[in-house]
Amino acid sequence: MLTEKSIGAIALLLTPLALLFSTIGLEFADLGGAFSPVFFPRIILWLWVGLAGLNLISTVWSRAPTEARPLARVGLLALLLPVYALSIMPAGFFLASLVFCLVTLRLLGWTKPVSLIAFSVGLPGALVILFNHWLSLPLPTSPITYLF
């Protein structure tokens, strides 16, 4: 049965798939895939596809009744994303992502402080290690230090 939640989950899956299909055939240089301007967006889109697929499976298998989301919380989350995107360059990827994770997870109802802080530090930290050190593709750094 199609519910608001299942329609949202389908939309969350179809959006990155459409964006991925729009990048097929784009070639910008003979230097290799990591130097292409679509390299990072494709990584993010594949992660989005995976998470949206898991969300869709969870939604379909869930037997729990759905409840309406508070409009104020949804609106705040919608405004938070562009603020985060604009804060990455001046604050650096790690600090902006740490604050974004803390606020977003708290708005989504995550209440356990230890796991909230661990996830909010661990996810941006893992991405910094992945891109800066493993792939040698630097992310924006903060004005405080070049380390993050």
Side-chain angles (χ1 to χ4, degrees):
M1 181 167 104
L2 285 179
T3 63
E4 176 189 358
K5 193 171 182 180
S6 62
I7 292 171
I10 291 168
L12 282 174
L13 181 60
L14 292 178
T15 302
L17 286 173
L19 291 170
L20 272 171
F21 286 130
S22 72
T23 65
I24 292 175
L26 294 178
E27 297 296 329
F28 292 95
D30 294 331
L31 300 173
F35 294 100
S36 172
V38 294
F39 179 73
F40 290 118
R42 281 183 182 160
I43 291 173
I44 301 301
L45 288 172
W46 278 115
L47 289 172
W48 186 357
V49 166
L51 292 173
L54 291 173
N55 181 40
L56 181 60
I57 291 169
S58 170
T59 301
V60 170
W61 282 350
S62 175
R63 302 268 187 232
T66 60
E67 59 185 51
R69 306 273 193 288
L71 187 58
R73 185 178 357 169
V74 173
L76 190 56
L77 286 172
L79 290 174
L80 189 60
L81 189 58
V83 169
Y84 165 66
L86 293 173
S87 68
I88 288 176
M89 291 309 287
F93 175 80
F94 182 78
L95 293 178
S97 298
L98 181 127
V99 172
F100 177 73
C101 282
L102 281 171
V103 174
T104 302
L105 292 174
R106 187 63 195 111
L107 283 171
L108 292 175
W110 202 321
T111 57
K112 298 179 182 177
V114 173
S115 63
L116 177 70
I117 292 169
F119 187 83
S120 296
V121 171
L123 179 65
L127 289 172
V128 166
I129 290 169
L130 172 70
F131 285 101
N132 285 2
H133 303 290
W134 192 50
L135 295 173
S136 298
L137 299 166
L139 293 169
T141 57
S142 73
I144 299 168
T145 178
Y146 70 92
L147 295 175
F148 54 85

